[in-house]
Amino acid sequence: QSKKVWVIGGGPAGMKAAEIAARRGHQVTLYEAKDQLGGQFLLAAIPPHKQVLKEFVTYLWKQIDKLRVKTIFNRPFDLKLLEKEKPDVAIVATGAKPLIPEIEGIQKAKVFNVWEALSKPGPLGQKVLVLGGGGVGAEVADFLSEKGKKVTLVEMREGSALDLVGHLQHYLNLRLKNKEVQVLTSTKAVRFEEDGLWVEDSQGTRKLTGFDSFVVSMGSAPNAELVAGVKKIVSQVTAVGDAAEPREVMEALLEAEEAAMKI
């Protein structure tokens, strides 16, 4: 039975949900707040050797275009639209937002999140400290060093990029070493000041200074503020992808496909 389906958010999960719903014969409208589809995946494609990810976004876009999914750009979603148009089903795929930790003094320092660092590296200055050395933080450090910046990477665990598979971790760390990125592992951030960051490691507490800015890469949180409001208006609502819980893209795609199959 064909239904009117609205997908809110045009990242990989939203695009996949729109594709599958359209293949099943539903009338699908996809809302995207920005001027292009892809969401965080476009940012993920910015670091060195990650450009191939754009091809997946292009593939999904071609599928929903072929299926004649109605796509609306540059429109932050307004709940009043639901009351007016009354879709049968809503799939919320609004992604995640960067998580800024509650570290003392962080509001006083010149701090950027990873999205800001990847999209507009210019304002960061020439000497940058990246706090959080997981795969994302290490890739940001790689990207910024490629832009000619002097980068220090601080990670609380015993190694950097530990959440990446072995070969990716190896070559990423090799690039950081060759670009002379200073990597401080087993190092915990204690307190920010305007001119530096106090850290704690095996040698005690010390202050790292001389940085133009700081980039925080310490995970993300679901951007799910819309979900509760949508549920008050639409009877069948599902949050998919990072809007439900930040994780790997393959899990988000599977969840989006399953949500569309249940309509």
Side-chain angles (χ1 to χ4, degrees):
Q1 182 181 352
S2 180
K3 295 182 179 180
K4 184 190 290 187
V5 179
W6 282 17
V7 180
I8 307 168
M15 295 170 77
K16 175 56 72 174
E19 177 201 350
I20 300 303
R23 287 193 188 282
R24 288 171 55 77
H26 298 296
Q27 305 168 48
V28 183
T29 301
L30 174 61
Y31 284 87
E32 169 53 44
K34 297 184 179 179
D35 60 358
Q36 57 184 331
L37 299 174
Q40 294 177 53
F41 224 54
L42 296 178
L43 293 174
I46 292 176
H49 308 284
K50 298 292 291 293
Q51 291 79 7
V52 68
L53 297 182
K54 283 186 178 179
E55 296 180 12
F56 183 61
V57 172
T58 301
Y59 165 78
L60 287 175
W61 181 85
K62 286 182 177 179
Q63 300 309 305
I64 63 174
D65 185 57
K66 189 188 305 180
L67 294 162
R68 299 188 178 182
V69 170
K70 183 179 179 181
T71 307
I72 298 174
F73 293 100
N74 294 311
R75 184 181 293 185
F77 196 78
D78 187 343
L79 291 174
K80 293 179 181 178
L81 292 170
L82 294 171
E83 297 173 345
K84 181 181 178 182
E85 300 292 338
K86 300 191 184 313
D88 302 303
V89 181
I91 297 177
V92 181
T94 44
K97 53 190 175 183
L99 190 62
I100 301 300
E102 294 183 2
I103 298 175
E104 184 182 347
I106 196 169
Q107 302 299 333
K108 299 178 182 178
K110 190 177 181 182
V111 172
F112 297 84
N113 62 51
V114 291
W115 298 2
E116 294 167 332
L118 288 170
S119 59
K120 294 181 180 179
L124 273 61
Q126 282 303 112
K127 193 173 181 184
V128 183
L129 184 147
V130 178
L131 179 60
V136 174
E139 287 180 347
V140 170
D142 188 23
F143 167 72
L144 294 176
S145 64
E146 193 93 343
K147 294 293 182 182
K149 301 182 187 296
K150 188 172 179 60
V151 183
T152 297
L153 181 64
V154 174
E155 168 56 37
M156 188 165 60
R157 293 176 295 178
E158 67 278 6
S160 59
L162 293 179
D163 52 333
L164 299 183
V165 295
H167 68 286
L168 293 179
Q169 181 187 140
H170 170 76
Y171 286 111
L172 177 52
N173 281 316
L174 187 61
R175 290 199 301 274
L176 295 179
K177 182 179 179 181
N178 290 338
K179 294 176 184 177
E180 298 183 347
V181 172
Q182 184 181 20
V183 180
L184 305 177
T185 56
S186 301
T187 303
K188 179 182 178 181
V190 176
R191 184 175 75 254
F192 279 94
E193 292 187 0
E194 289 186 23
D195 61 342
L197 173 68
W198 285 90
V199 298
E200 188 178 274
D201 57 19
S202 59
Q203 299 177 355
T205 303
R206 60 194 174 106
K207 185 178 180 181
L208 306 176
T209 60
F211 300 100
D212 297 315
S213 64
F214 303 90
V215 176
V216 174
S217 176
M218 301 188 74
S220 53
N223 189 20
E225 288 85 355
L226 272 176
V227 176
V230 174
K231 285 183 175 179
K232 292 178 181 178
I233 305 170
V234 182
S235 59
Q236 187 176 344
V237 180
T238 307
V240 300
D242 285 356
E245 181 186 351
R247 57 234 139 109
E248 297 296 325
V249 67
M250 293 304 294
E251 295 172 299
L253 291 170
L254 176 61
E255 185 175 71
E257 186 162 342
E258 289 177 337
M261 291 290 288
K262 292 176 181 177
I263 299 173

